[in-house]
Amino acid sequence: MTMRTRTILQAFLIPALMAIGACFIATAHAQDVDWQKVDETLGRKPAVTGDVHRYGFPRTDLTVTLDGVTIKPALALGGWVAFKPAHSGVMAMGDLVLLESEINPVMLKMIASGLEITAVHNHLLGASPTTFYMHVAGHGDPVRIATALKEALAESKTPLSVPAPTAPPPAVDLDTAQLDQIIGVKGQANGGVYQFNVPRRDPVTEQGMQLSPVGPMGVAIAINFQPTGGGKAAITGDFVLTGDEVNPVIKALRSHGIAVTALHSHMLDEQPRLFFMHFWANDDAVKLANGLRAALDKTASTKS
């Protein structure tokens, strides 16, 4: 074997074999998880994407208003926890929506159960009542983690049972095809809200594990439109940014009349280091989409 052939093998074949091996390992781990027990413990079915099971905990019990808009759970009150198979069972991470009075009781229960708190902060400004967002993480046995989450959420008024749907979800009264074209990816309707997940081009890892699929794992740029009548929409979500993107995106959003409402981390040791920027506006939906597109152009994000 010549040196050149050996170099080619090292450059292309070995990484490919490692990727295939990682895929087999992930599949094996996914098969090892008793997902039915996790579902039963959490009292709900997940949205499954690839090997990730994502469980929603929307605050349907709350009536939160901002700028005269009653916020739908899918716009900014959708707590969630994602489970991804890992060598030690699962990696779990998520974002719980809490009232101020619920933060410390939930946190104490989390700590007692061995789960980690990775961030506590606001997403919105001026909402009534004020809501906070607690990012959580755990590693190990999935049923143990699910039990700990349920016991912690019981310290809040987060609904722990899923009511049967009584009516079809409201229609999204917006030109969604035009929004898709401007944002550059296909959105989807969810509970009367039109949602986009815009992936970053480069992979994101935590503790050596790639966080994928990026949308379910909370590391895609999230953009939500809630119709407010007459072609207008309330928008919120979060940009997922590297440090050098933060201020260009702030300037792009503010120059298009979109308020920046929070800037913070969500995780503790992800690579690359990421910052999450939340935003808010209520205006003509197409105008706002163009402003968001200008901000997206300042990021290393994908466009379909």
Side-chain angles (χ1 to χ4, degrees):
M1 182 183 295
T2 66
M3 180 64 72
R4 185 171 183 275
T5 302
R6 185 179 296 112
T7 301
I8 292 172
L9 285 172
Q10 290 173 338
F12 297 101
L13 182 58
I14 293 174
L17 290 172
M18 290 175 65
I20 292 169
C23 181
F24 280 131
I25 291 169
T27 301
H29 287 317
Q31 291 172 344
D32 290 342
V33 176
D34 188 339
W35 292 113
Q36 185 174 344
K37 283 188 177 179
V38 178
D39 297 353
E40 290 170 354
T41 302
L42 293 175
R44 63 205 63 220
K45 292 290 186 181
V48 181
T49 308
D51 65 346
V52 172
H53 289 228
R54 177 169 164 139
Y55 297 85
F57 295 92
R59 292 303 302 259
T60 53
D61 59 309
L62 298 177
T63 300
V64 178
T65 59
L66 174 58
D67 291 346
V69 177
T70 299
I71 295 172
K72 295 183 184 297
L75 183 68
L77 303 173
W80 58 274
V81 179
F83 286 66
K84 183 178 178 67
H87 59 83
S88 57
V90 297
M91 164 195 281
M93 57 190 297
D95 184 10
L96 308 179
V97 183
L98 301 171
L99 297 174
E100 184 174 357
S101 60
E102 296 170 339
I103 293 173
N104 278 304
V106 171
M107 182 181 290
L108 288 171
K109 203 73 172 180
M110 290 275 186
I111 293 170
S113 300
L115 299 184
E116 298 177 347
I117 312 299
T118 61
V120 179
H121 46 233
N122 69 293
H123 287 182
L124 305 172
L125 295 174
S128 179
T130 303
T131 50
F132 293 87
Y133 301 79
M134 180 183 292
H135 290 265
V136 299
H139 299 83
D141 177 72
V143 175
R144 179 189 65 81
I145 293 172
T147 301
L149 285 166
K150 185 174 182 179
E151 291 176 350
L153 284 171
E155 298 295 317
S156 72
K157 292 184 179 179
T158 302
L160 295 180
S161 60
V162 181
T166 56
V172 176
D173 186 20
L174 297 170
D175 186 344
T176 55
Q178 189 173 11
L179 296 181
D180 290 348
Q181 183 179 22
I182 295 169
I183 299 299
V185 299
K186 175 68 176 170
Q188 64 179 10
N190 177 22
V193 175
Y194 201 61
Q195 300 180 323
F196 294 93
N197 280 304
V198 184
R200 293 188 58 83
R201 288 197 294 268
D202 300 323
V204 179
T205 64
E206 187 174 36
Q207 297 185 356
M209 176 175 286
Q210 185 170 334
L211 300 181
S212 65
V214 292
M217 295 300 290
V219 289
I221 295 170
I223 296 172
N224 301 326
F225 286 75
Q226 178 179 316
T228 55
K232 296 176 66 176
I235 60 166
T236 191
D238 53 354
F239 279 78
V240 183
L241 305 170
T242 54
D244 60 324
E245 295 170 341
V246 168
N247 279 286
V249 169
I250 287 177
K251 292 174 183 176
L253 292 173
R254 294 304 300 129
S255 68
H256 288 84
I258 300 170
V260 174
T261 58
L263 174 65
H264 45 233
S265 62
H266 285 182
M267 296 168 283
L268 299 177
D269 56 5
E270 76 282 0
Q271 294 295 327
R273 188 72 173 122
L274 297 174
F275 300 88
F276 294 75
M277 184 183 297
H278 298 264
F279 55 89
W280 171 268
N282 181 20
D283 204 338
D284 178 79
V286 172
K287 172 187 170 184
L288 293 177
N290 282 309
L292 292 165
R293 181 66 255 171
L296 286 167
D297 288 341
K298 304 296 182 183
T299 71
S301 58
T302 62
K303 194 174 183 182
S304 59

